């Protein structure tokens, strides 16, 4: 409870009100679950067709055709990455972390899908393999690959510290998209959005309910693998917080590169895959 609420009278039926059972906001039983057995067969045929290195405290972009897989790989040391995804043919369609969180969980893993924003609202991608899937939730309530945090950004950094820092994940993603699209950084910035915090270990404190981070369990060789449901443009920032064990938005933490690998499977195995169309709802006047 906030100390500002300490003087608010507690009603006689407070315990009864708190005891009301929760209801899941979005029952997902009606959603067609991805057939992971098909993806497993496709994974067995994958051929690596490209890779991109994301330097420490920098960002980079990559493209993944529909039906291909990509992996975000830890290569030298524990490092967190902030991921943005767009429809490669239409930047107005982009990853919607809030709806992904509402439909799946605060932290995503194998079998969860990454949804796009309104009005498209369709699966952009499906997580096909997660070498940190063993982690679950720890005694502090921490889990890996969160869709609750936003991204470290220079505006919040100035607000809280009074200083300017130019390698926040927001800044890195803006520069990466600007370079890829051949547009100025101010034009790129509105397209940068809330992220999937790859490898980041986060939760909420039990006493104050504040968003926390702790040292990521990721080690070299670990990867998060994602299947592209549409043609994707991705941007990834190697967070200036490194493993996010102590700080972010600074040059203090030890930081390492991340690698993005692109894989093509035997496309014949995906002949019957139900690649999603944009949501069919039409907004009424």
């Amino acid at each position: 409870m906030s100390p500002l609420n300490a003087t608010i009278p507690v009603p006689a039926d407070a315990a009864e009100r708190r005891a009301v059972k929760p209801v899941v906001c979005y029952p997902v039983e009606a959603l067609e679950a991805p057939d992971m057995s098909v993806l497993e067969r496709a994974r067995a045929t994958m051929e690596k067709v490209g890779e991109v290195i994301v330097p420490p405290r920098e960002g980079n972009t990559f493209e993944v055709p529909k039906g291909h897989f990509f992996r975000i790989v830890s290569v030298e040391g524990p490092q967190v990455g902030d991921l943005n995804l767009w429809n490669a043919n239409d930047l107005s369609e982009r990853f919607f972390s809030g709806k992904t969180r509402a439909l799946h969980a605060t932290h995503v893993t194998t079998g969860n899908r990454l949804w796009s924003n309104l009005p498209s609202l369709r699966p952009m991608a499906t997580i096909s393999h997660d070498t940190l899937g063993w982690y679950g939730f720890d005694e502090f309530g921490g889990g890996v690959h969160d869709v609750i945090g936003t991204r470290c950004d220079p505006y919040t950094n100035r607000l809280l510290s009074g200083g300017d820092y130019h390698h926040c994940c927001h800044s890195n993603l803006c520069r990466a998209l600007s370079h890829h699209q051949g547009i100025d950084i101010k034009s790129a910035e509105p397209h940068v959005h809330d992220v999937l915090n790859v490898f980041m270990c986060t939760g909420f404190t039990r006493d104050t309910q504040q968003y926390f981070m702790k040292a990521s369990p990721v080690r070299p060789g670990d990867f998060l693998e994602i299947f592209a449901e549409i043609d994707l443009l991705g941007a990834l920032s190697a967070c200036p917080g490194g493993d996010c064990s102590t700080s972010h938005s600074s040059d203090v933490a030890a930081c390492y590169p991340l690698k993005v690998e692109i894989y093509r499977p035997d496309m014949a195995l995906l002949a019957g895959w139900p690649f999603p169309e944009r949501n069919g709802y039409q907004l009424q006047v």
Side-chain angles (χ1 to χ4, degrees):
M1 179 189 295
S2 166
L4 297 176
N5 292 331
T7 60
I8 302 296
V10 178
D13 63 347
E16 182 181 348
R17 296 194 206 182
R18 291 191 179 109
V20 173
K21 292 183 178 180
V23 176
V24 173
C25 291
Y26 292 98
V28 294
E29 289 76 15
L31 285 179
E32 183 177 352
D35 189 338
M36 301 304 290
S37 64
V38 173
L39 294 188
E40 280 299 308
R41 289 194 291 274
R43 291 183 70 240
T45 69
M46 293 193 312
E47 175 188 3
K48 185 176 174 181
V49 294
E51 72 173 43
V52 170
I53 298 296
V54 183
R57 293 188 175 85
E58 296 290 349
N60 210 341
T61 56
F62 56 94
E63 295 189 29
V64 189
K66 180 173 72 172
H68 288 49
F69 296 78
F70 69 96
R71 290 178 176 178
I72 299 173
V73 188
S74 169
V75 288
E76 291 183 14
Q79 176 65 46
V80 163
D82 283 38
L83 177 67
N84 267 191
L85 293 174
W86 298 269
N87 179 334
N89 305 302
D90 177 8
L91 291 186
S92 71
E93 184 179 10
R94 62 195 192 187
F95 173 54
F96 190 177
S97 65
K99 191 61 71 178
T100 298
R101 177 172 66 248
L103 292 174
H104 296 297
T106 57
H107 299 73
V108 292
T109 189
T110 307
N112 292 152
R113 310 187 100 164
L114 307 181
W115 293 78
S116 68
N117 60 328
L118 308 180
S120 296
L121 192 61
R122 59 174 166 171
M124 302 181 78
T126 298
I127 299 177
S128 51
H129 195 77
D130 175 13
T131 66
L132 293 177
W134 57 267
Y135 192 88
F137 287 88
D138 59 38
E139 62 178 304
F140 306 101
V144 184
H145 312 311
D146 90 62
V147 283
I148 34 178
T150 51
R151 56 200 179 275
C152 58
D153 71 86
Y155 305 100
T156 304
N157 184 72
R158 172 180 272 212
L159 181 70
L160 297 178
S161 73
D164 290 341
Y165 185 71
H166 307 300
H167 290 276
C168 297
C169 288
H170 176 84
S171 313
N172 295 342
L173 294 169
C174 288
R175 283 191 293 269
L177 182 62
S178 169
H179 177 76
H180 183 275
Q181 296 295 108
I183 57 179
D184 66 80
I185 195 166
K186 290 294 186 182
S187 298
E189 186 174 30
H191 294 291
V192 170
H193 50 279
D194 285 350
V195 297
L196 167 56
N197 283 308
V198 179
F199 304 142
M200 193 171 183
C201 190
T202 61
F204 292 98
T205 60
R206 290 192 174 92
D207 52 354
T208 61
Q209 293 301 302
Q210 289 175 288
Y211 181 58
F212 73 74
M213 62 186 188
K214 56 178 289 190
S216 173
V218 69
R219 297 294 181 268
D222 280 323
F223 62 87
L224 183 69
E225 182 187 278
I226 300 174
F227 172 71
E229 302 273 5
I230 64 174
D231 292 334
L232 293 175
L233 168 62
L236 182 67
S237 169
C239 182
D243 69 355
C244 289
S245 59
T246 55
S247 65
H248 57 69
S249 302
S250 78
D251 291 325
V252 176
C255 291
Y256 302 93
L258 291 170
K259 181 167 64 171
V260 180
E261 299 176 335
I262 316 297
Y263 291 88
R264 180 178 60 234
D266 179 353
M267 298 302 290
L269 296 173
L270 298 170
W273 187 262
F275 289 106
E277 300 294 333
R278 294 178 191 261
N279 194 284
Y281 176 76
Q282 297 296 313
L283 192 64
Q284 301 298 302
V285 176

